[in-house]
Amino acid sequence: MGASADGRGLVRRRRRRRWVRYGAAAVGVVALGIGVAGWAVYAKLDGNITPDDAAAAELDRYARERPTSLVKDAQNILLIGSDSRSGDENRKYGRDSGTERSDTTILLHLAAGRRSATAVSLPRDLMVDVPGCLRPDGKRTEPMFAMFNYAFQTGGSACTIRTVEKLTGVRIDHHMVVDFSGFKDMVDAVDGVEVCLKEPIDDKAAKLRLPAGRVTLDGEQALGYVRARKSLGNGSDTDRMDRQQRFLGALVNKVQSNDVLLNPVKLYPLLDAATSSLTTDPDLASLRGLYELVRGLRDIPTEHVQFLTVPRESYVYNANRDQLVEPEAEKLFERLRTDAPVVVSQEIPTNSAPAESGDHGPFGFGVAGPAASGAVSPTPPAPTFRGNTAAEDGCG
């Protein structure tokens, strides 16, 4: 139809066109606002991560002596929990002496194809060969035989990485360092983590008073739970590492749940807490780098997320120190180097063959299956190490 004689049809069409333009402009402004807000969030999270450039430079200096990666796509990440007292939040756990030690160190092996994840705890009191390392004051130390956490105290993450590589022959591809406050913030960001306590806890040193059974720990309680050493369990570092592993398994379950990953209100605080607390190698020091690392982890079944402690026993010259149990430890390191399956069990099978160096109780390993009873098998079965998976419930 044409315009009316008085031109009212033309006016209406012009008004419609103006409203279309205004609507498109409004949509564009909203889209721009969302884009700007999204970029601001990305930039904030991306800028939270601290790149460990000094460690990268030190590792480059010794590139020729480092082990070679043997399996494409397999990854080894060294996770270091620092006991630094620097900063307002960390200072309340003790006087800031200007130094820091590796309170917890875990070698995380991600299998090729991300079919499994294996976390191996390395005791801080383990006696090891520490190479000559660069100190914070610019001086270099002499190589020495010392406790494992001396490496981090002396030469930071680069010295720890070189010590682990010398000990295991495993190439470390990435590393992450997190402090007390960062750990607490991540636990609080997921609204706490549920653990199962077989007995009530009343520990003044750890500031913990908890009932037996299922308990949800907040950040402060979780820090006390994983750090307590002298008054929880049997007082050993091994018992403390067992607790840390059970807690990490529970944390994996919580983070993998849809309640966290699919809820932006909970996911953003977790990402903010995680990135704010991290110091990583330069390749991981960005959201893109971290995303590439964790992208394949979200679909690993919890029964294939495994935790164990390196086979160890009391050091022959000092019962308060540790030493590796051989050949068990080397068997484990070889499987990590070659990306062979690692089997863990809370109890070593009773039909396991004894280790060559004798029975080392819960810190050794066994060989389960027909080979243990003398039957001939074309493929030797995998050794079984004492450990647990993220799928196991401590209340069971």
Side-chain angles (χ1 to χ4, degrees), residues 47-119:
N48 281 348
I49 309 168
T50 302
D52 199 346
D53 295 320
E58 179 71 353
L59 292 173
D60 282 345
R61 178 187 177 98
Y62 294 95
R64 290 186 177 182
E65 72 177 35
R66 300 183 65 193
T68 302
S69 297
L70 300 180
V71 180
K72 184 179 180 181
D73 191 41
Q75 294 267 293
N76 297 294
I77 300 99
L78 198 66
L79 310 176
I80 303 172
S82 166
D83 72 352
S84 171
R85 265 66 171 184
S86 64
D88 294 338
E89 284 297 311
N90 293 326
R91 192 172 294 118
K92 65 183 180 181
Y93 299 105
R95 183 177 60 85
D96 182 11
S97 63
T99 63
E100 54 183 332
R101 293 170 297 183
S102 50
D103 198 57
T104 300
T105 304
I106 294 174
L107 174 56
L108 175 63
H109 175 76
L110 307 178
R114 302 301 178 261
R115 64 182 184 274
S116 67
T118 301

Side-chain angles (χ1 to χ4, degrees), residues 31-369:
L32 178 62
I34 293 173
V36 170
W39 173 252
V41 169
Y42 179 92
K44 180 183 186 303
L45 296 176
D46 195 62
N48 281 348
I49 309 168
T50 302
D52 199 346
D53 295 320
E58 179 71 353
L59 292 173
D60 282 345
R61 178 187 177 98
Y62 294 95
R64 290 186 177 182
E65 72 177 35
R66 300 183 65 193
T68 302
S69 297
L70 300 180
V71 180
K72 184 179 180 181
D73 191 41
Q75 294 267 293
N76 297 294
I77 300 99
L78 198 66
L79 310 176
I80 303 172
S82 166
D83 72 352
S84 171
R85 265 66 171 184
S86 64
D88 294 338
E89 284 297 311
N90 293 326
R91 192 172 294 118
K92 65 183 180 181
Y93 299 105
R95 183 177 60 85
D96 182 11
S97 63
T99 63
E100 54 183 332
R101 293 170 297 183
S102 50
D103 198 57
T104 300
T105 304
I106 294 174
L107 174 56
L108 175 63
H109 175 76
L110 307 178
R114 302 301 178 261
R115 64 182 184 274
S116 67
T118 301
V120 181
S121 295
L122 300 172
R124 61 184 183 181
D125 294 340
L126 186 67
M127 299 301 295
V128 297
D129 289 310
V130 179
C133 295
L134 181 66
R135 292 165 48 93
D137 61 8
K139 297 179 181 179
R140 290 195 173 271
T141 63
E142 293 295 324
M144 67 182 303
F145 188 65
M147 288 194 306
F148 175 67
N149 68 352
Y150 173 80
F152 191 75
Q153 179 181 354
T154 302
S157 52
C159 191
T160 302
I161 290 168
R162 292 178 59 216
T163 300
V164 171
E165 290 184 337
K166 183 178 181 67
L167 179 72
T168 66
V170 174
R171 171 75 176 221
I172 303 301
D173 302 295
H174 301 291
H175 70 276
M176 301 180 184
V177 182
V178 62
D179 60 17
F180 293 156
S181 62
F183 175 84
K184 290 194 308 177
D185 289 345
M186 283 189 284
V187 174
D188 286 333
V190 297
D191 293 333
V193 174
E194 184 183 80
V195 297
C196 192
L197 307 178
K198 294 183 177 180
E199 298 177 354
I201 295 176
D202 187 0
D203 189 307
K204 293 182 180 179
K207 299 180 180 179
L208 284 179
R209 189 181 180 89
L210 302 168
R214 297 185 185 277
V215 181
T216 297
L217 304 180
D218 63 22
E220 190 73 42
Q221 292 170 324
L223 183 63
Y225 178 73
V226 301
R227 292 195 68 235
R229 180 180 185 181
K230 296 182 178 179
S231 51
L232 285 185
N234 61 15
S236 71
D237 203 36
T238 298
D239 185 79
R240 187 178 76 113
M241 288 185 291
D242 284 348
R243 256 183 288 117
Q244 291 171 351
Q245 292 164 10
R246 290 194 297 271
F247 181 85
L248 289 175
L251 179 60
V252 167
N253 271 298
K254 185 65 177 284
V255 173
Q256 279 195 348
S257 71
N258 290 342
D259 188 40
V260 173
L261 294 180
L262 298 182
N263 187 337
V265 175
K266 293 184 178 181
L267 182 58
Y268 174 77
L270 173 62
L271 291 175
D272 190 34
T275 54
S276 296
S277 67
L278 284 182
T279 298
T280 76
D281 57 279
D283 287 342
L284 283 186
S286 68
L287 279 184
R288 180 178 295 275
L290 286 176
Y291 174 75
E292 290 298 323
L293 175 66
V294 304
R295 181 175 57 179
L297 303 183
R298 58 190 175 194
D299 295 326
I300 298 178
T302 52
E303 60 267 24
H304 293 163
V305 179
Q306 306 173 129
F307 301 91
L308 68 153
T309 298
V310 64
R312 41 71 58 199
E313 63 185 356
S314 294
Y315 180 46
V316 64
Y317 297 115
N318 186 337
N320 294 318
R321 303 289 180 261
D322 292 328
Q323 65 184 25
L324 294 179
V325 172
E326 298 293 2
E328 290 91 325
E330 177 53 30
K331 289 286 187 180
L332 173 61
F333 300 150
E334 181 182 16
R335 302 192 79 79
L336 298 179
R337 289 193 295 266
T338 60
D339 198 34
V342 174
V343 180
V344 301
S345 174
Q346 291 191 17
E347 298 295 334
I348 300 299
T350 55
N351 64 339
S352 297
E356 293 178 16
S357 55
D359 180 11
H360 297 286
F363 312 118
F365 80 109
V367 181

